[in-house]
Amino acid sequence: MVYASLLANRYLASRVIPLIAVLAVALNVALVVIVVSVMTGFLDMLRSSGRTLMGDVVVTHEIVGIPDYERFLEILDETPGVHAASPLIETFGLVRMPYGRDGESRVEPVQVWAVDPRSLAEVTGFAEAVYWRAPTDDERAELDERDPRLDETFHKLDDALAINDPDVEPGMVLGIEISPFNSRTRRGTYRPTPSEAWMPLHDVTLSLVPVSSGGRIAEPREGRFRIANEFHSKVYQVDSQRVMIGLAEGQRLLRMAGGPLYDPDGERDENGRPLVIGRSPSRATTILVRGDDGLPPPELKYAVSAAYDRFLAELRDDPEAKVKPPSFVDIQTWEERLRDLIAPVEKERDLMNVLFSIIYVVSAALVLSIFWAIVHEKTRDIGILRAVGASRSGILWIFLQWGLVIGVIGACVGLGLGWLVVDNINAIHDAMGEAAPTWSVIVAGGLAAAALLATVVAAWRGSLLHGLIWSLATILLAAIAFGLSRHEGAVMWDPSVYYFDRIPSRVDLLRAGATMIGAVVFSILGAAIPAAKAADTDPVRALRYE
Amino acid sequence: MSDAPAVVATPLLEAQDVRKTYRLGAIEVPVLHGASLAVREGEWLAVMGSSGSGKSTLLHILGGLDRADRVGRNADGGEVRFRGRAIERLSNRALDRYRNREIGFVFQFYHLLPELSVVENAVLPALVGQVPLLWRSRRSEIRERAIDLLERFGLGHRLKHRPRELSGGERQRVAIARALANRPAVLLADEPTGNLDRKTGGEILDLLAEEHRRGLTIVMVTHDAGIGERADRTLWLRDGRVDGAPEI
Ligand SMILES: Nc1ncnc2c1ncn2[C@@H]1O[C@H](COP(=O)(O)OP(=O)(O)OP(=O)(O)O)[C@@H](O)[C@H]1O
Ligand SMILES: [Mg+2]
């Protein structure tokens, strides 16, 4: 049908209307792509943060800990599917900071992880999370001259993973949001405040409360630690609460290290001391396990449970092991472990899915109605075509082609637009978070003045339509200029509320593709349905249509 | 009951007892009740009637653009026959073909497609009737015929223009060229001069007369007696029926 292509072409070649149609499709596609990308990014980030924070599966026996965990680690090591495992003690404590008000040190309540950094780095993203590096010579040149990193003593920053090395002073790695002496840049990185109080290489005092294997609380104990570094896990709750020390230090302070085991109620030796009846095992409260890549955490959890049962059986039969491991420990995948955090996010995802469906439907309705108006305007043309013998299917074909072209162009433009926004979403957010730059106010004001001039010219020439359009533009631009001048910045993504410290986003190609196909389908439908209706109405009425 | 004049040969196009009623909700507006007429090959027939008498309606029904009433099973709304065949019984496809091949419409308000140029408007019916495969081979022939017609109508310098750049008279000439693109059997003209001044209207009528002289069959409806005079024969549409003689 030669005429169908000719007319589809001509309808596309007219200036304003196809532009509006493409814009409608593009904006809707962009909107959907942006919303979906942030949602996908959020869930992605959650998923990967679970792994980088705690590996895949976590074995815990809180407070008292698992005795002879070293043997358990050996068994885990031989278990297929286990990539690496790392023991740690998780507890709470108080850190007396080297800064404070009125000469008094500030005391921060913290979550303490006593870790074995080398294996922790294999299981989690700890090595990458350790934030400060000794600057290279090139970087030195770039740094502010008051930057504390320029001090030669900071070459030790790179030794952060040696915090439990007995040769090094007991070290501590702080969450980067704990001390107020790091300033966050707009790009989500940190700069040390040029100040004496910048944390690394300062000493702090940590107080912990030991609990015996019987579950009794003993005298609180204190230890001095040197801040070896700070870490940035990108999860705000963790960065603002957790400190890491060496496992050996933790065991010592918490009385969880191995040593001779006495029988308090038994016989005494000649000096009146209780007799040594064996060795007390060292303990850890938590074992983090990372599975081989691609192994689903629930399967790993199953394997780890089986490994723990073997560990139990082995120690039960071992007469040397005076302290038996607990029969029941918590074995959880990171997802189960993060339930408290994930549950609201999953609710949010459900809500997002509902919102997404609404956005999709609204977008489709918008495209349909805009196309409806555009095609409706061609009703008389359709009557004329029917009068010269065009068939209904031929007329439908014109608008199918038109809808296809608009849909494809709109979808591509929309994807590009969406991608651009998603790529720069944090920059856009940050720009909105600051007061508008003066030049933007001047530009908007200048444009408003130009529009005002155009209004005056139009009025002088007596052109009502142009006068109206330009006066509207004047009002709009003046409002924008006013708004910009008053805008003092608003932070919408508050990391303490949204769990992550940056807006996560990732363009999900599959969903983007589905959105684009949807856009094309709705464009075609949007054009074809009113065209079919017009082709169905009796041609005489279509001809009379003004 | 037929008011149609007796015709000897088989008429090219005839309407018999055509009834048409418009429905506006519950109200029925009877427009045609038993209108009959017959057009011979090569004839120029004028149908006169006051405004609102149903002239356009009748013309649309003749051209297969509108349908007469379907009252019962047996077509009580009358019949339109082209070369002896009832067009009511044609399939949709055949009716499209009938409009495309046998009929050329000229309307009071020109009804050109604003997005197409003058030539494109003039070749439109030829394009519509064309299968894509044969199009390449017939393309130049179709274009040449349209350009010939447009040049004959004095529009040779306007071929690439858009309809909105033309005067009313020029537009109507393009519309006539379009109506003639497929060499139709009948030209159906609905007040072709109704929107034009007397002089321009006269030129259009001269042009129609010239085509008529070349053998074109024309049915023209108008309320203007002066224009009706140009035809070979004039009928009157009154009270939904066609009379052979003028009033007075
Ligand atoms: N779609 C419609 N619905 C209802 N009534 C209609 C419709 N179309 C036409 N009519 C009525 O039918 C009557 C005949 O209309 P028609 O257009 O055929 O008259 P006409 O003789 O061509 O008039 P004019 O000389 O003004 O063009 C008019 O009264 C008109 O109001
Ligand atoms: Mg009329």
Side-chain angles (χ1 to χ4, degrees):
Chain A
M1 280 178 272
V2 190
Y3 71 97
S5 307
L6 174 71
L7 276 160
N9 262 326
R10 283 307 148 81
Y11 288 162
L12 285 168
S14 75
R15 267 180 305 170
V16 185
I17 285 168
L19 218 64
I20 292 174
V22 165
L23 210 66
V25 176
L27 287 180
N28 282 303
V29 169
L31 179 72
V32 171
V33 165
I34 293 167
V35 169
V36 170
S37 297
V38 172
M39 200 172 91
T40 316
F42 200 69
L43 291 171
D44 268 13
M45 191 94 143
L46 199 71
R47 194 137 288 158
S48 66
S49 79
R51 271 197 117 192
T52 51
L53 283 179
M54 60 185 73
D56 294 315
V57 169
V58 182
V59 182
T60 34
H61 191 61
E62 278 173 19
I63 303 169
V64 178
I66 303 167
D68 286 316
Y69 65 89
E70 296 96 334
R71 180 63 198 132
F72 181 43
L73 288 177
E74 281 166 30
I75 294 175
L76 278 178
D77 210 30
E78 293 154 14
T79 305
V82 172
H83 173 77
S86 179
L88 63 91
I89 299 170
E90 180 178 323
T91 185
F92 291 89
L94 298 172
V95 177
R96 199 168 329 119
M97 293 297 196
Y99 54 84
R101 202 186 279 168
D102 306 332
E104 289 202 3
S105 294
R106 195 183 153 91
V107 175
E108 298 277 359
V110 291
Q111 184 199 47
V112 180
W113 267 25
V115 300
D116 166 39
R118 312 239 171 252
S119 65
L120 185 68
E122 280 177 60
V123 175
T124 68
F126 180 57
E128 294 79 51
V130 169
Y131 200 75
W132 305 112
R133 311 277 152 182
T136 62
D137 288 344
D138 285 352
E139 283 163 355
R140 280 172 183 281
E142 306 261 306
L143 292 179
D144 186 297
E145 58 179 21
R146 289 172 302 159
D147 195 301
R149 278 173 290 173
L150 291 174
D151 192 322
E152 282 306 322
T153 52
F154 285 102
H155 71 273
K156 277 194 171 173
L157 287 175
D158 291 345
D159 292 342
L161 285 186
I163 51 175
N164 66 335
D165 191 332
D167 297 338
V168 181
E169 236 174 320
M172 178 185 278
V173 180
L174 286 179
I176 200 152
E177 292 277 359
I178 292 178
S179 103
F181 295 99
N182 300 305
S183 54
R184 216 162 87 109
T185 65
R186 290 208 277 130
R187 286 218 260 50
T189 59
Y190 290 85
R191 260 196 322 254
T193 309
S195 141
E196 289 292 298
W198 187 59
M199 282 292 103
L201 302 195
H202 278 276
D203 285 343
V204 294
T205 308
L206 173 68
S207 309
L208 293 176
V209 179
V211 178
S212 74
S213 58
R216 272 193 296 269
I217 290 175
E219 272 292 292
R221 299 181 68 173
E222 285 194 352
R224 280 194 78 72
F225 290 86
R226 175 150 293 185
I227 306 288
N229 210 320
E230 290 172 290
F231 73 86
H232 181 213
S233 71
K234 297 180 185 154
V235 176
Y236 183 80
Q237 267 89 339
V238 170
D239 289 340
S240 60
Q241 286 169 17
R242 185 177 295 169
V243 303
M244 308 239 197
I245 58 174
L247 180 59
E249 286 304 318
Q251 284 172 330
R252 191 177 60 75
L253 286 176
L254 291 164
R255 296 182 190 280
M256 293 173 100
L261 183 67
Y262 305 96
D263 181 359
D265 309 323
E267 294 177 38
R268 310 266 157 153
D269 64 6
E270 59 271 26
N271 297 326
R273 294 211 192 93
L275 284 179
V276 175
I277 54 165
R279 254 192 81 72
S280 161
S282 51
R283 291 175 285 148
T285 61
T286 307
I287 313 288
L288 304 181
V289 187
R290 184 188 191 95
D292 289 336
D293 279 343
L295 184 69
E299 279 178 36
L300 181 69
K301 175 182 162 181
Y302 190 76
V304 169
S305 290
Y308 190 78
D309 287 343
R310 256 177 288 143
F311 168 63
L312 265 185
E314 196 176 293
L315 287 206
R316 200 183 313 124
D317 302 338
D318 185 350
E320 287 289 298
K322 293 281 191 294
V323 181
K324 304 293 183 194
S327 318
F328 296 103
V329 290
D330 281 332
I331 302 182
Q332 293 175 312
T333 62
W334 67 265
E335 263 182 307
E336 291 162 345
R337 176 101 174 156
L338 281 182
R339 190 104 302 257
D340 286 356
L341 280 177
I342 287 181
V345 174
E346 275 181 348
K347 280 273 162 293
E348 221 156 292
R349 174 172 60 177
D350 290 347
L351 188 69
M352 287 276 234
N353 272 333
V354 171
L355 287 180
F356 172 70
S357 315
I358 293 173
I359 286 175
Y360 215 108
V361 168
V362 168
S363 300
L366 211 69
V367 168
L368 283 175
S369 59
I370 288 176
F371 279 27
W372 190 289
I374 289 173
V375 174
H376 201 63
E377 201 230 358
K378 301 288 182 217
T379 303
R380 209 175 54 108
D381 285 19
I382 291 171
I384 296 168
L385 285 163
R386 298 280 285 140
V388 298
S391 63
R392 281 161 214 229
S393 51
I395 282 162
L396 208 58
W397 185 226
I398 298 174
F399 291 95
L400 284 179
Q401 288 183 39
W402 185 85
L404 179 74
V405 173
I406 296 278
V408 168
I409 296 177
C412 291
V413 171
L415 180 69
L417 205 69
W419 203 305
L420 214 67
V421 171
V422 167
D423 246 17
N424 298 300
I425 192 152
N426 280 298
I428 293 170
H429 174 256
D430 292 339
M432 287 197 297
E434 295 192 346
T438 319
W439 62 261
S440 68
V441 180
I442 293 172
V443 167
L447 286 175
L452 186 66
L453 194 73
T455 311
V456 172
V457 171
W460 182 63
R461 288 211 189 127
S463 166
L464 198 62
L465 181 66
H466 286 110
L468 211 64
I469 290 174
W470 282 119
S471 53
L472 263 177
T474 309
I475 293 169
L476 209 69
L477 285 164
I480 289 174
F482 180 72
L484 284 174
S485 70
R486 296 299 298 267
H487 182 72
E488 278 163 4
V491 173
M492 278 163 287
W493 185 273
D494 182 344
S496 59
V497 175
Y498 286 104
Y499 189 58
F500 299 116
D501 58 358
R502 304 294 291 156
I503 305 174
S505 62
R506 178 171 67 85
V507 178
D508 180 340
L509 283 182
L510 209 71
R511 288 230 197 179
T515 307
M516 289 173 76
I517 291 171
V520 173
V521 167
F522 277 110
S523 301
I524 291 176
L525 280 183
I529 293 173
K533 185 176 162 288
D536 267 353
T537 53
D538 109 53
V540 176
R541 205 173 294 175
L543 277 175
R544 282 182 204 260
Y545 180 84
E546 288 304 321
Chain B
M1 162 109 202
S2 171
D3 291 339
V7 202
V8 191
T10 314
L12 179 66
L13 181 62
E14 72 187 305
Q16 194 176 3
D17 261 349
V18 168
R19 286 162 193 278
K20 181 72 182 177
T21 311
Y22 286 110
R23 274 186 189 80
L24 294 170
I27 311 163
E28 292 198 344
V29 187
V31 178
L32 300 176
H33 11 193
S36 303
L37 61 77
V39 192
R40 269 172 272 123
E41 191 123 27
E43 188 180 22
W44 182 351
L45 180 67
V47 179
M48 310 255 311
S50 55
S51 186
S53 59
K55 305 181 297 291
S56 298
T57 305
L58 179 62
L59 208 65
H60 291 150
I61 292 174
L62 284 175
L65 204 58
D66 202 354
R67 287 179 188 270
D69 289 343
R70 312 259 97 204
V71 184
R73 272 179 165 276
N74 308 320
D76 293 286
E79 217 172 53
V80 173
R81 284 188 292 270
F82 177 75
R83 295 197 207 276
R85 283 187 61 192
I87 65 165
E88 281 84 358
R89 300 210 188 94
L90 295 179
S91 66
N92 280 334
R93 248 182 86 114
L95 200 63
D96 288 338
R97 257 179 83 83
Y98 167 71
R99 282 202 296 271
N100 183 242
R101 291 291 162 83
E102 314 292 0
I103 303 295
F105 273 109
V106 174
F107 303 97
Q108 177 178 355
F109 297 104
Y110 331 122
H111 286 340
L112 300 174
L113 292 180
E115 266 94 358
L116 300 188
S117 71
V118 164
V119 202
E120 284 163 344
N121 264 293
V123 297
L124 192 65
L127 286 187
V128 167
Q130 212 57 51
V131 266
L133 282 179
L134 296 177
W135 161 240
R136 295 218 165 272
S137 56
R138 293 211 50 213
R139 183 185 193 152
S140 53
E141 181 193 330
I142 288 170
R143 257 186 81 86
E144 268 162 35
R145 170 164 167 78
I147 292 173
D148 273 356
L149 271 173
L150 289 169
E151 276 172 353
R152 202 158 85 211
F153 295 171
L155 292 167
H157 58 297
R158 293 268 188 229
L159 300 181
K160 294 258 185 287
H161 287 231
R162 288 290 167 87
R164 63 167 175 275
E165 297 156 358
L166 305 183
S167 73
E170 286 170 329
R171 288 183 206 191
Q172 194 60 300
R173 284 181 229 190
V174 178
I176 294 170
R178 175 180 68 189
L180 299 180
N182 273 347
R183 300 177 202 276
V186 190
L187 185 83
L188 300 180
D190 189 352
E191 309 267 13
T193 61
N195 217 27
L196 303 172
D197 61 53
R198 189 150 278 284
K199 175 169 167 294
T200 318
E203 286 165 11
I204 293 292
L205 289 174
D206 290 344
L207 193 141
L208 286 180
E210 169 64 13
E211 295 304 315
H212 172 57
R213 199 184 52 71
R214 291 162 176 258
L216 182 67
T217 309
I218 303 175
V219 178
M220 181 177 77
V221 303
T222 177
H223 62 264
D224 187 332
I227 290 160
E229 275 169 13
R230 302 288 294 262
D232 299 339
R233 184 157 66 98
T234 303
L235 299 176
W236 284 81
L237 188 59
R238 245 187 307 130
D239 302 330
R241 292 203 177 82
V242 180
D243 285 344
E247 264 181 324
I248 304 161

